């Protein structure tokens, strides 16, 4: 084995972290990317820690972003996201990461891929190649880079930083081409070991399947460690995810769905209630409009993926869906998750079979953590 080096930047975006590459620095053949990305992250690792790489042992810390020139005229840059397995060897390009989307605009500006003001507000139109959707990032700039300070705090990240507004334009049908891939706001899924389970299958920003917490024997305020220690619960959620994948037309059968671990995301939701966050903060029933516990790549998420939050926000606007039935909000939606509360907004227009997701918007923060070269091993 020989060592090789690639120019890279390590960034936090929202409640995730990723190694950021310029597409020009990677091999021209996409087939050569996967082994590089696995080596960089330290995957697969049967110990689940990724100590021999840049990964952090959980899905939100095992990510790669590739940014380069735009392939369509309405964008400033192309952005490709790769979710890297922790214990296994999969590299999944099937979905986007909304949290890391917040780092793409500042990265593109600071790497000279786009032009922006020396001070003021920068606007970067990002073409996410995973979903073929446009994301508009707006953020404050000082000295030609993302402003170092700000007053926005996001749950799950210590301290305050500059706000980055992400506008997901027309997010419906990101993977399947339809906001409601099954044609219904709520379906009855035939789930192995559970029988019939009501679920809402929605494709906005990323495809997700939502079930009521009570339908899977939970209250909806459980913390990740408790869920991670409940093997039967995780098996139930995975069975629901696979059944929904087939119902949505993402996978042709349950076996194939089992290999596509990144999509759809699966989540349980419940209405406003009191509960505790990972930091010990007590939330009351007045602090949020809907509660969610999302499973990402088989693991209980410690916050909520931003694309999952966008999808949930859109789902609350769809008459007849489970989230719409449980959510209290009429305006912007406060989503309670294990790390706190995320404020999201969404717009849906039309009716019945003509429903359209107009937008989803959220504020995040990001920070450049280090830059240089990442070292990985290449076969002799």
């Amino acid at each position: 084995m020989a060592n090789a080096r690639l120019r890279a930047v390590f960034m936090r975006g929202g409640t995730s972290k990723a190694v950021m590459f310029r597409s020009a620095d990677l091999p021209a053949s996409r087939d050569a990317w996967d082994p590089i990305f696995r080596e960089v992250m330290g995957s697969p690792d049967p110990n689940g820690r990724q100590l021999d790489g840049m990964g952090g042992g959980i899905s939100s810390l095992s990510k790669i972003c590739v940014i380069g020139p735009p392939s369509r005229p309405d964008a400033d840059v192309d952005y490709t996201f790769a979710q890297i397995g922790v214990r296994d060897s999969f590299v999944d390009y099937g979905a986007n990461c909304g949290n890391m989307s917040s780092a793409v605009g500042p990265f593109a500006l600071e790497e000279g891929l786009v032009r922006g003001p020396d001070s003021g507000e920068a606007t970067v139109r990002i073409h996410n190649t995973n979903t073929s959707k446009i994301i508009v990032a707006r953020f404050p700039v000082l000295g030609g880079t993302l402003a170092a300070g700000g007053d926005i705090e996001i749950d799950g990240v210590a301290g305050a930083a500059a706000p980055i507004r992400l506008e997901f334009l027309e997010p419906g049908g990101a993977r399947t081409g339809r906001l409601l891939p099954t044609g219904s706001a709520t379906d009855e899924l035939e789930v192995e070991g559970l029988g019939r389970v009501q679920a809402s299958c929605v494709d906005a920003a990323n495809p997700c399947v939502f079930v009521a917490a009570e339908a899977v024997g939970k209250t909806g305020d459980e913390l990740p460690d408790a869920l991670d220690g409940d093997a039967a619960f995780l098996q139930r959620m995975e069975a629901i995810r696979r059944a929904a994948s087939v119902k949505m037309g993402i996978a042709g059968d349950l076996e194939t769905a089992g290999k596509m671990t990144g999509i759809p995301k699966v989540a349980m939701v419940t209405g406003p209630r009191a509960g505790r966050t990972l930091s010990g903060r007590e939330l009351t029933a007045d602090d949020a409009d809907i509660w969610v516990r999302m499973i990402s790549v088989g693991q209980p998420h410690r916050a909520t993926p931003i694309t999952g939050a966008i999808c949930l926000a859109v789902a609350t606007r769809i008459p007849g869906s489970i989230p719409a039935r449980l959510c209290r909000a009429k305006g912007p939606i406060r989503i309670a998750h294990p790390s706190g509360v995320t404020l999201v907004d969404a717009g849906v227009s039309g009716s019945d079979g003509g429903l359209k997701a107009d937008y989803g918007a959220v504020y995040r923060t990001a920070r450049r953590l280090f830059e240089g070269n990442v070292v990985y091993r290449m076969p002799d």
Side-chain angles (χ1 to χ4, degrees):
M1 304 284 281
N3 282 337
R5 287 169 169 77
L6 270 175
R7 178 172 54 168
V9 174
F10 196 49
M11 293 189 73
R12 177 185 64 79
T15 53
S16 294
K17 289 194 286 190
V19 177
M20 317 283 287
F21 291 114
R22 296 172 59 139
S23 59
D25 294 331
L26 292 169
S29 171
R30 289 281 295 268
D31 293 339
W33 288 13
D34 290 11
I36 293 174
F37 294 168
R38 285 192 291 264
E39 273 288 309
V40 167
M41 282 292 109
S43 296
D45 181 359
N47 299 300
R49 300 182 68 189
Q50 294 176 306
L51 288 178
D52 201 35
M54 296 297 297
I58 57 177
S59 63
S60 59
L61 306 179
S62 187
K63 301 172 182 284
I64 298 281
C65 299
V66 181
I67 296 91
S71 59
R72 48 190 278 184
D74 58 346
D76 299 314
V77 292
D78 274 7
Y79 151 53
T80 300
F81 171 70
Q83 178 71 58
I84 314 301
V86 176
R87 294 179 182 271
D88 50 38
S89 60
F90 80 85
V91 179
D92 186 7
Y93 300 95
N96 179 28
C97 173
N99 272 297
M100 287 314 306
S101 296
S102 64
V104 173
F107 175 87
L109 179 66
E110 293 169 9
E111 291 293 306
L113 296 173
V114 299
R115 291 185 177 182
D118 185 64
S119 61
E121 182 181 81
T123 301
V124 181
R125 294 181 64 88
I126 301 162
H127 169 220
N128 175 240
T129 66
N130 307 82
T131 61
S132 298
K133 297 294 183 179
I134 294 292
I135 306 165
V136 180
R138 307 180 194 275
F139 52 93
V141 172
L142 187 61
T145 64
L146 172 67
D151 57 6
I152 184 173
E153 298 183 27
I154 60 174
D155 286 318
V157 179
I164 300 172
R165 178 179 168 89
L166 295 176
E167 301 164 5
F168 294 75
L169 305 184
E170 299 184 359
R175 174 57 187 259
T176 65
R178 301 179 66 190
L179 176 60
L180 295 175
T182 70
S184 301
T186 299
D187 294 279
E188 278 202 347
L189 302 178
E190 189 65 43
V191 181
E192 184 178 356
L194 284 176
R196 292 185 176 275
V197 177
Q198 282 200 339
S200 291
C201 301
V202 182
D203 183 1
N206 264 338
C208 297
V209 52
F210 302 103
V211 296
E214 62 183 17
V216 288
K218 297 295 182 182
T219 59
D221 62 351
E222 292 85 355
L223 292 176
D225 286 348
L227 297 178
D228 199 33
D230 190 341
F233 165 76
L234 293 178
Q235 289 170 2
R236 289 195 296 271
M237 295 297 281
E238 174 62 11
I240 291 169
R241 190 193 69 81
R242 293 186 187 191
S245 180
V246 175
K247 185 79 171 179
M248 297 168 83
I250 294 172
D253 53 57
L254 294 176
E255 182 179 357
T256 303
K259 297 175 182 176
M260 302 172 67
T261 56
I263 56 169
K265 305 293 185 187
V266 61
M268 64 174 179
V269 290
T270 191
R273 59 183 301 109
R276 182 177 294 180
T277 70
L278 284 167
S279 67
R281 172 186 169 195
E282 296 284 351
L283 297 178
T284 72
D286 293 327
D287 289 328
D289 304 301
I290 191 167
W291 284 57
V292 66
R293 294 296 187 258
M294 191 161 284
I295 309 300
S296 179
V297 197
Q299 296 177 310
H301 208 287
R302 299 181 73 81
T304 183
I306 287 304
T307 51
I310 292 290
C311 190
L312 176 56
V314 169
T316 66
R317 308 294 200 209
I318 298 174
S321 75
I322 292 170
R325 188 179 78 230
L326 295 172
C327 184
R328 178 176 55 194
K330 300 300 181 184
I333 302 131
R334 298 168 301 166
I335 298 173
H337 52 82
S339 291
V341 178
T342 295
L343 183 66
V344 189
D345 201 1
V348 172
S349 58
S351 60
D352 300 328
L355 284 176
K356 175 189 173 186
D358 298 318
Y359 70 91
V362 65
Y363 283 92
R364 305 310 279 162
T365 64
R367 192 163 82 87
R368 194 179 185 100
L369 300 175
F370 73 75
E371 57 196 15
N373 293 296
V374 65
V375 180
Y376 65 96
R377 294 168 297 185
M378 290 188 66
D380 294 326

